[in-house]
Amino acid sequence: MITRRNFTTGAATLLAAGHISTRARAATTSWDMSTVWPDGNFHTQNAMAFAEEVKKQTGGAVAITVKAGGQLGFKGPEHLRAVRDGLVPLADVLNIQQVGDEPFMGVESIPFLCGSVEELKVLHKYVRPEYEKIAARNNQKILYIVPWPTQYLHLKAKVADVEGLKNIKIRVPDKNAVDMLNAIGMAAVMIPWGETIPALASGAVAGVSTSSVSGVDGKFWEFLKYVYPTNHVWSSQMLTVNLDSWKALPADQQKLVADIAAKMEPGFWANSLKADVDSLNRLKEGGMEVVPVSDAMMTDIRAKTAPQLDAFLKRVPAADKPVRSYLAEMKRG
């Protein structure tokens, strides 16, 4: 027999259970993360590993879904603004493509500023605090930063000197790269990654300035024949989170997610180096030839692009101190 007391007690229990269930659901944070790179790209693989670790260590309370290949409709140059405006809570932001909004973000694309990943680590010691400030004023927080490997010129033509590069129409990812390759006589065109393969297929460009990893992503062997290891610039992906979304997390979850990012970042850098070796081998397997760049050619390229350092520092005064501090540490100041 159901008495009034039993009914009241039972109802209260059900209400309490419902309230707890609602709170449990409310405590689960689901974030989509936008990236333009495909599933097989090491940056995307890094992001997936990070998402899995976050899910594991938060017991599913923070669930990140990596939307690869531009699924969410954002192009690379739009990511900083997309996160800033809350259009997406997380994005894999390519720093050099954000110079329209934040010129300092192009610092890594100063020609030949860094010659190795070890030098890049030293540069980051000086520029990362500035990246953090830029993220904050754009309503976001950097969780981790991972570089692309060294850069190559991927071309249809086989050339032996700078003169051979003259007027070759080449895709580049950012404005600084336009200036650099124009300075050596090429015809540089700034094209987002998502439009690069159609540009190659149509013959709109006859080359691409990018990493070996992107060369594999784009199956460059279907369009191009030669790879030139010029190692001319670097760039980095920054996983950023919208600050409003971040602040909505409980403090303990914030600390946990930030700690996971910091702990995994060095391994992600190692993945970058491995991806370069593996990807260069894959390009060769696809039929592309790696052409050694002669000392004379490199000297010519360096000489023609050298003025870009001072030009960048004049255009972006905030970069002067960190860059000169880096150069001093490298004994190049």
Side-chain angles (χ1 to χ4, degrees):
M1 179 178 180
I2 300 176
T3 66
R4 179 181 178 84
R5 180 181 177 184
N6 288 340
F7 176 81
T8 303
T9 302
T13 301
L14 287 171
L15 286 171
H19 181 58
I20 291 169
S21 175
T22 300
R23 282 192 305 172
R25 288 196 301 271
T28 301
T29 298
S30 297
W31 285 339
D32 282 344
M33 191 206 104
S34 178
T35 179
V36 299
W37 313 117
D39 284 340
N41 184 282
F42 81 96
H43 283 298
T44 305
Q45 292 294 309
N46 285 345
M48 289 177 173
F50 173 71
E52 184 61 30
E53 193 64 19
V54 167
K55 180 180 179 181
K56 176 182 173 183
Q57 293 201 34
T58 64
V62 180
I64 298 170
T65 302
V66 179
K67 299 289 188 177
Q71 289 179 52
L72 297 181
F74 300 110
K75 296 178 181 179
E78 299 169 343
H79 271 157
L80 189 73
R81 276 170 277 155
V83 177
R84 179 194 68 195
D85 297 340
L87 301 178
V88 64
L90 286 161
D92 198 19
V93 179
L94 177 54
N95 58 357
I96 60 171
Q97 288 190 327
Q98 316 310 315
V99 295
D101 295 314
E102 294 288 352
F104 185 96
M105 287 288 194
V107 67
E108 290 175 39
S109 63
I110 296 172
F112 305 106
L113 183 61
C114 295
S116 68
V117 73
E118 294 306 319
E119 290 187 5
L120 186 64
K121 288 178 182 178
V122 178
L123 178 65
H124 275 212
K125 181 172 73 174
Y126 295 103
V127 302
R128 183 157 182 164
E130 300 302 319
Y131 289 161
E132 301 279 3
K133 292 175 189 175
I134 289 169
R137 70 170 172 256
N138 282 274
N139 193 37
Q140 53 207 283
K141 172 184 173 62
I142 297 171
L143 293 176
Y144 62 71
I145 302 179
V146 183
W148 282 92
T150 183
Q151 297 288 291
Y152 301 83
L153 299 181
H154 307 256
L155 304 175
K156 282 186 178 180
K158 191 170 187 177
V159 303
D161 52 30
V162 171
E163 185 63 25
L165 297 173
K166 193 172 182 180
N167 297 324
I168 292 177
K169 201 165 186 180
I170 185 167
R171 174 268 178 186
V172 297
D174 67 293
K175 178 62 168 62
N176 289 334
V178 170
D179 294 342
M180 176 191 169
L181 294 183
N182 283 349
I184 62 175
M186 302 187 81
V189 184
M190 189 165 59
I191 300 175
W193 176 250
E195 299 171 18
T196 297
I197 307 310
L200 281 172
S202 69
V205 295
V208 180
S209 173
T210 191
S211 68
S212 59
V213 176
S214 291
V216 171
D217 288 343
K219 298 181 180 178
F220 280 3
W221 52 84
E222 295 181 357
F223 312 100
L224 305 170
K225 296 295 183 183
Y226 305 100
V227 184
Y228 297 81
T230 46
N231 190 25
H232 48 286
V233 294
W234 294 78
S235 60
S236 299
Q237 296 288 151
M238 307 184 302
L239 181 62
T240 69
V241 58
N242 175 273
L243 273 181
D244 299 320
S245 298
W246 180 252
K247 290 174 183 176
L249 286 184
D252 60 332
Q253 291 182 5
Q254 289 182 15
K255 184 178 186 308
L256 191 55
V257 172
D259 287 349
I260 292 168
K263 184 175 181 180
M264 297 185 79
E265 184 174 310
F268 292 164
W269 280 61
N271 291 345
S272 176
L273 292 174
K274 183 178 185 301
D276 179 46
V277 174
D278 293 346
S279 296
L280 198 60
N281 286 334
R282 180 66 186 92
L283 291 177
K284 289 188 284 188
E285 289 169 5
M288 297 185 75
E289 178 185 344
V290 178
V291 182
V293 183
S294 69
D295 290 343
M297 185 174 175
M298 284 305 305
T299 297
D300 201 3
I301 291 174
R302 285 175 176 272
K304 290 180 183 297
T305 59
Q308 284 192 255
L309 170 60
D310 287 338
F312 184 90
L313 298 183
K314 183 177 180 180
R315 188 168 68 251
V316 189
D320 190 87
K321 183 177 180 180
V323 168
R324 295 201 187 280
S325 296
Y326 158 75
L327 292 172
E329 182 164 339
M330 293 291 99
K331 296 184 171 25
R332 287 162 49 197

